[in-house]
Each structure stands twice: as C-alpha cells, then as structure tokens.
Amino acid sequence: MRGRPKENIEIKKKFTRIYYDFPSKPELGGKSIWYYDLDKFPNGPYLVEHFDPTFDKLEKLYNKLERLQTPKYHENGRKKRTTKADKIKMETTERAYWKEHYKLFPEDKPKKRGRRKKV
C-alpha cells in the first residue's frame, strides 16, 4: 500500500444535538433536540423534539393543579381531609391557569351574559 497509513478513527453512532432559536440567549426562545442513531437511520435524525416556551407556564400550572386535586392518603390507607388552605391553593392555581389559558387562547374566553351596564 502506498501513502500514509490509515488511522483508526472511531465514529460516534449515537448522539444528540441541541439547537436554540436564539443561540446567544437560549432562555428567550424555544429549543429543539435532535437524536441521531446512525445504525437505526443513517441519513439523519430518527427523533426531533421541539420545546415551545409559550406553553411552559401553562403546562406547569396544569401539573400543579392536577397535583393539588389528587387526594392524599395516610400511611394506614385512609384519605386525608382537604383543608381550607388546600382549597384556597386550588382556587388560586385554577384562577392563574385560566388567566394564562385565556391569554394564549383568547377565542376560548366565555361570552359575557346579562344586561349591559349604563354609563
């Protein structure tokens, strides 16, 4: 064989790449994660996940509301009672959730019913 001998370079077969909408300030925009597995799909990524920051707050509030609404249990299996403080937390979280929801989806806001107020 002529020329320089071939070097043994290991090529990564599985890797991920993270792309930001605004690379200089990643906290501003969304991001996407691209998953590559060259054994499974040699031409490109086999999975792409997009994360949109506009719905992050709404999702967090929804998860918090679900967590507050699930009943808690004692060690012996009996259900704990819901206190007034728990009910207030649930109400404020639900109010915040719907406020954020109507901010993102104004067409879902219920129509106001009743008589118009005189000016």
Side-chain angles (χ1 to χ4, degrees):
M1 218 153 79
R2 294 171 50 191
R4 188 173 176 181
K6 189 176 178 183
E7 295 180 12
N8 291 333
I9 300 172
E10 289 188 29
I11 299 172
K12 281 188 173 182
K13 296 283 186 175
K14 272 182 121 174
F15 56 95
T16 60
R17 289 193 177 152
I18 300 174
Y19 296 103
Y20 294 100
D21 289 348
F22 300 104
S24 59
K25 292 189 176 181
E27 65 274 357
L28 284 182
K31 73 174 183 176
S32 58
I33 302 175
W34 295 46
Y35 296 92
Y36 293 88
D37 188 355
L38 300 179
D39 294 330
K40 190 187 284 188
F41 194 72
N43 297 332
Y46 68 92
L47 175 69
V48 179
E49 288 182 333
H50 294 285
F51 298 98
D52 193 4
T54 54
F55 301 106
D56 283 347
K57 186 175 180 185
L58 189 67
E59 193 173 350
K60 284 180 186 175
L61 285 169
Y62 179 77
N63 291 338
K64 182 177 180 183
L65 188 61
E66 287 292 313
R67 190 177 67 245
L68 287 172
Q69 286 178 343
T70 54
K72 281 107 180 134
Y73 293 95
H74 290 286
E75 290 176 8
N76 60 6
R78 291 182 62 193
K79 191 191 280 188
K80 286 185 179 179
R81 74 171 48 136
T82 308
T83 61
K84 191 174 184 179
D86 293 340
K87 287 181 182 177
I88 291 171
K89 277 184 192 175
M90 286 166 50
E91 285 177 12
T92 55
T93 306
E94 190 171 4
R95 208 174 296 129
Y97 171 79
W98 285 113
K99 184 179 177 185
E100 189 68 26
H101 180 84
Y102 293 141
K103 194 187 300 179
L104 293 172
F105 304 103
E107 68 275 3
D108 288 352
K109 201 168 197 173
K111 294 178 181 171
K112 294 188 177 180
R113 298 191 174 260
R115 295 184 180 194
R116 289 192 167 186
K117 295 178 183 174
K118 292 183 179 178
V119 180

